[in-house]
Amino acid sequence: MAEQIAVADLGSNSFRLVVFTAADDWWKRTDEIYEAVRIGEGLAATGELGEAGMARAQATMEVFAHFCSASGIEPDAVLAVATSAIRDASNSAQFLERAQAASGLRVRVLSGEEEARYGFLAAVNSTTLSDGVMLDIGGGSMQLVHVVGRHSRELDSWRLGAVRMSERFLPGDGPAKPKQVRELVGYVTAKLERAPWLGRCGPRLVGIGGTIRNLAAAAQRDLEVPEAGVQGYVITRDELDRLVDELASRAPAERAKFPGIKPSRGDIILGGAIVVQTVMEVGGFEGIEVTEAGLREGVFFEHHLGGDPPLFEDVRHASVVNLAAQYGMDPEHSPHTAHVARLALGLFDELAAAAVHEGDAVERELLWAAALLHDIGMTVDYDDHHKHSRYLVLNAGLPGFEQRELALIGQAVRYHRKGTPSLGPFAPLAVKGDEERLNRMSACLRLAEDLERSRDQLVRAAHVAVEDGTVHLDLDSDGDDRVPRWAAGRETELFARAFDRQLTV
């Protein structure tokens, strides 16, 4: 039985309500409300929440409460948390009392350490970060967590949020002055002195938060790379430097028009970007990997996963099975899908054992993912379901996979029925050898689908023998296997393209 959990993230810049629907074997976001409340506006100067910001915040909380009630989400299933601005303001207690009375939402004010921990949970459960640093920048604060063996070692929080830094160092309606930028960089650098571990954490940096997501979207459009969301995208240090220079040369109103930047972030994106840039400089990081997960996912993971800390055992495996399960195509519910995966991996392994290919472990994992997800498009329609499956893979995303890996999975799914495999629009993401990888994955997946064409698990296995440059496929079946032999026998051209060998079945 699926349950609904709502997480209300009451941040310094924006308030966001995210609804998660979860069952025993899957979970997904099913709704979201976002409002750029700016409750932290002016806080740095006065130490108090302003009346206008509190009024916007209270109205938004009332909307959240009415939405949850109308959606059938029980009050105890609404997890509301507040961060930097509300935490730091001298009048936060009065605001919360008033807002809670009006909305009925019970709000938990997070400490800086708790905020950092939820960011850590979001990052480690949505990427393969094992050793490195998690960076979370919001409107009022920035958190850094040193991650070792997928556990948090050091964590800290600074009042270096995008709103706070923009108000203090980048006021005005014109382009940023070089002196302003230097002063902001110097200020952040000095604050980071209390994290001497920052430069000793290895090369990997994972970022969460709206500033990071917007910068990633801007970088993608600036470089004209194929877009499949920002999950897993890496903003290089050179590209961030270029973006900062470009944004600094524009007035806030023009930054709001920069492709990839939300209009509501036009006046604060530069301040946030410079903070991130400075962390990368101090820590010696060459890039920052982006995850679409945020503090709200961290709160949800704590509720949904349990454990201490609440972590997926294997993020890549969990994300593939989770997406398959949402469409009833996971191994537990779809014998056909499970059998296609077994056959595809069996073919891959036997061909490797016969020295037909190298048997790369990552390529095998991508093939497994494509096999598990190849039929999820059936929930749209049978016709063109291979294209529907690719659409769902690319748009739902697979946390833990690089964007080029996601493209390879999506394209293998796309060609599991027919057609000549191609990287198509994702060629700019590819590295050397990806075209050959796609051919091999597509050939194994399509043969496995052919051998399970009657969807009855008749063919238990397919064994490989190589003789005089020809690969002989011997079927181990429980009965009349003319359908799988007919289907697999049509793949000689694709097989030759993938493995440079002739195929007989």
Side-chain angles (χ1 to χ4, degrees):
M1 184 69 178
E3 67 168 343
Q4 286 187 305
I5 298 293
V7 179
D9 176 3
L10 311 183
S12 304
N13 178 57
S14 62
F15 280 16
R16 191 184 301 262
L17 178 80
V18 179
V19 178
F20 298 93
T21 301
D24 290 338
D25 53 357
W26 60 267
W27 69 272
K28 63 180 178 179
R29 284 186 307 171
T30 49
D31 218 326
E32 182 173 330
I33 298 177
Y34 168 90
E35 186 68 23
V37 170
R38 291 283 176 93
I39 193 172
E41 194 170 50
L43 176 64
T46 66
E48 294 185 342
L49 302 175
E51 188 58 40
M54 289 193 291
R56 292 191 298 267
Q58 180 176 323
T60 301
M61 289 174 64
E62 291 178 31
V63 169
F64 286 0
H66 283 290
F67 175 86
C68 290
S69 177
S71 301
I73 301 173
E74 298 296 331
D76 59 358
V78 182
L79 309 176
V81 295
T83 57
S84 178
I86 295 175
R87 176 173 66 238
D88 295 339
S90 60
N91 60 341
S92 62
Q94 298 94 304
F95 162 71
L96 286 175
E97 183 178 356
R98 189 176 83 186
Q100 290 177 9
S103 67
L105 292 179
R106 296 188 298 274
V107 179
R108 180 161 62 102
V109 180
L110 302 180
S111 68
E113 290 74 19
E114 288 174 320
E115 187 175 356
R117 179 177 177 273
Y118 284 126
F120 152 76
L121 292 177
V124 177
N125 279 313
S126 62
T127 72
T128 57
L129 177 64
S130 178
D131 299 288
V133 175
M134 184 286 304
L135 181 155
D136 177 10
I137 181 167
S141 64
M142 180 197 70
Q143 286 68 234
L144 295 174
V145 178
H146 180 196
V147 181
V148 178
R150 298 190 75 213
H151 287 70
S152 59
R153 174 167 291 182
E154 288 100 357
L155 52 81
D156 208 340
S157 179
W158 291 261
R159 295 177 180 179
L160 296 173
V163 173
R164 199 185 296 261
M165 294 299 95
S166 298
E167 289 183 349
R168 178 167 178 174
F169 292 98
L170 303 170
D173 298 325
K177 296 179 175 62
K179 181 180 178 182
Q180 293 175 314
V181 173
R182 286 195 303 271
E183 288 177 347
L184 174 50
V185 170
Y187 182 80
V188 176
T189 302
K191 291 295 182 183
L192 292 175
E193 288 179 358
R194 79 166 191 245
W197 47 265
L198 185 58
R200 306 192 300 265
C201 299
R204 193 150 180 207
L205 177 65
V206 171
I208 70 174
T211 291
I212 303 291
R213 293 192 298 272
N214 274 244
L215 290 171
Q220 287 178 325
R221 296 186 189 184
D222 184 54
L223 296 173
E224 297 183 344
V225 301
E227 291 185 42
V230 298
Q231 178 71 40
Y233 183 77
V234 177
I235 310 171
T236 67
R237 196 159 154 188
D238 288 344
E239 177 59 15
L240 182 58
D241 290 347
R242 209 204 68 73
L243 277 176
V244 167
D245 289 344
E246 180 64 32
L247 292 169
S249 70
R250 301 179 177 215
E254 293 303 312
R255 293 174 205 149
K257 300 175 184 177
F258 196 91
I261 304 299
K262 285 186 177 181
S264 62
R265 287 188 178 272
D267 59 337
I268 63 170
I269 189 64
L270 177 60
I274 291 173
V275 173
V276 175
Q277 181 189 43
T278 307
V279 171
M280 292 177 70
E281 174 70 27
V282 171
F285 300 106
E286 292 303 317
I288 181 166
E289 179 184 344
V290 183
T291 174
E292 293 185 358
L295 179 142
R296 47 218 164 261
E297 277 77 16
V299 173
F300 168 75
F301 289 140
E302 181 180 64
H303 172 86
H304 181 63
L305 295 177
D308 185 22
L311 300 176
F312 290 113
E313 183 176 345
D314 182 324
V315 171
R316 286 160 72 101
H317 184 276
S319 68
V320 172
V321 173
N322 182 56
L323 183 57
Q326 290 176 35
Y327 298 97
M329 297 295 177
D330 57 301
E332 184 176 344
H333 297 98
S334 174
H336 168 73
T337 299
H339 199 59
V340 167
R342 281 194 294 271
L343 290 171
L345 296 182
L347 285 167
F348 184 91
D349 293 342
E350 292 218 8
L351 288 166
V356 176
H357 69 101
E358 294 182 358
D360 177 71
V362 174
E363 184 177 317
R364 187 182 192 274
E365 183 185 22
L366 301 182
L367 171 61
W368 166 79
L372 232 60
L373 300 171
H374 76 281
D375 267 352
I376 60 175
M378 292 277 283
T379 56
V380 178
D381 190 43
Y382 173 78
D383 288 341
D384 287 337
H385 74 263
H386 51 300
K387 296 180 182 178
H388 303 322
S389 295
R390 176 180 65 174
Y391 175 87
L392 293 173
V393 167
L394 295 177
N395 286 274
L398 293 174
F401 290 87
E402 298 175 9
Q403 292 210 324
R404 57 167 284 274
E405 294 177 320
L406 181 66
L408 283 169
I409 294 168
Q411 291 302 90
V413 164
R414 160 67 177 84
Y415 291 104
H416 85 266
R417 294 179 66 202
K418 56 186 178 181
T420 302
S422 167
L423 292 169
F426 302 101
L429 294 176
V431 299
K432 184 179 180 181
D434 275 353
E435 186 174 350
E436 292 77 15
R437 289 183 186 91
L438 176 60
N439 285 330
R440 291 190 294 267
M441 291 167 59
S442 299
C444 288
L445 179 54
R446 196 183 298 180
L447 276 170
E449 175 77 350
D450 289 335
L451 297 179
E452 173 60 358
R453 187 68 183 84
S454 52
R455 306 177 77 86
D456 58 1
Q457 296 82 64
L458 175 72
V459 177
R460 292 191 298 267
H463 300 296
V464 168
V466 181
E467 184 179 351
D468 297 331
T470 297
V471 174
H472 301 279
L473 208 57
D474 183 32
L475 306 188
D476 179 4
S477 58
D478 285 329
D480 187 341
D481 58 9
R482 72 184 74 189
V483 171
R485 280 191 291 111
W486 159 78
R490 300 178 304 163
E491 308 302 352
T492 55
E493 183 178 341
L494 175 61
F495 191 88
R497 175 187 173 93
F499 299 106
D500 197 25
R501 305 288 181 94
Q502 297 301 309
L503 174 71
T504 63
V505 183

